[in-house]
Amino acid sequence: MEKTFLMVKPDGVKRGLIGEIISRFENKGYTLNRLEMVTPSVEVAEAHYAEHKEKPFFGELVEFLTSGPVVAMEWEGEDIVAVSRLMIGKTKPVDAQPGTIRGDFASTMSQNVIHGSDSVDSAERELSLWFAEVASHVS
Ligand code: GTP
Ligand code: MG
């Protein structure tokens, strides 16, 4: 079954949205396989957003992601990569539809509550990045 990497970002944790976000994916029928609350290192944050390293907002993005604890999660379900992106909503607040997580809970582009992998390949890469340590000490 398809897997994806979802993460409640530091603003979502600080605002008390962990339960709300997890509930949306549980209610959808998806399975939560792994969860870890962690304050990301600069190295992990930079690797996570490596595709954006030339962008003018990269520094701000890494600073934000490392500003406090996040909830890193592996979820599983049919077509979960594409469907979870629909549930998350668009990046730009003006495009994020009401009913989506960002449409309901985010009002800025830079602090937008949740991350979701944008392809099956990204999901594999991000899951091995975020859960590398966990995998090595539980197996
Ligand atoms: P993620 O799930 O966090 O990867 O968001 P996304 O896939 O919807 O967007 P994308 O990967 O293109 O960008 C990653 C993050 O960078 C976004 O969630 C935004 O917070 C931020 N970002 C993207 N574009 C801009 C921009 O033009 N300006 C600023 N300030 N931030 C941006
Ligand atoms: Mg992205």
Side-chain angles (χ1 to χ4, degrees):
M1 189 69 81
E2 192 166 285
K3 293 183 171 75
T4 198
F5 176 68
L6 302 177
M7 170 172 58
V8 184
K9 295 183 182 181
D11 60 327
V13 173
K14 288 192 183 92
R15 290 173 56 199
L17 295 172
I18 299 169
E20 167 72 34
I21 289 169
I22 288 177
S23 288
R24 289 197 177 209
F25 295 99
E26 286 185 329
N27 291 343
K28 184 72 176 171
Y30 293 142
T31 303
L32 178 59
N33 286 340
R34 299 207 255 195
L35 180 151
E36 189 179 16
M37 191 166 189
V38 60
T39 299
S41 64
V42 170
E43 290 71 24
V44 166
E46 287 182 347
H48 175 76
Y49 280 129
E51 66 176 307
H52 299 304
K53 66 174 182 292
E54 307 302 334
K55 307 264 174 70
F57 56 84
F58 185 68
E60 183 199 336
L61 192 56
V62 170
E63 194 178 332
F64 167 58
L65 201 66
T66 56
S67 67
V70 302
V71 176
M73 299 175 284
E74 178 185 289
W75 285 84
E76 179 170 334
E78 197 171 314
D79 294 323
I80 191 167
V81 170
V83 178
S84 60
R85 294 277 294 186
L86 291 175
M87 293 169 68
I88 287 169
K90 300 281 191 192
T91 319
K92 280 190 189 171
V94 72
D95 296 329
Q97 297 287 320
T100 66
I101 294 168
R102 288 175 177 166
D104 290 348
F105 300 110
S107 60
T108 67
M109 176 113 107
S110 48
Q111 304 209 358
N112 56 10
V113 176
I114 181 170
H115 163 81
S117 307
D118 62 9
S119 68
V120 171
D121 285 352
S122 299
E124 281 175 15
R125 187 188 74 83
E126 291 166 9
L127 286 169
S128 47
L129 173 68
W130 288 88
F131 290 110
E133 279 174 47
V134 176
S136 65
H137 63 71
V138 295
S139 56

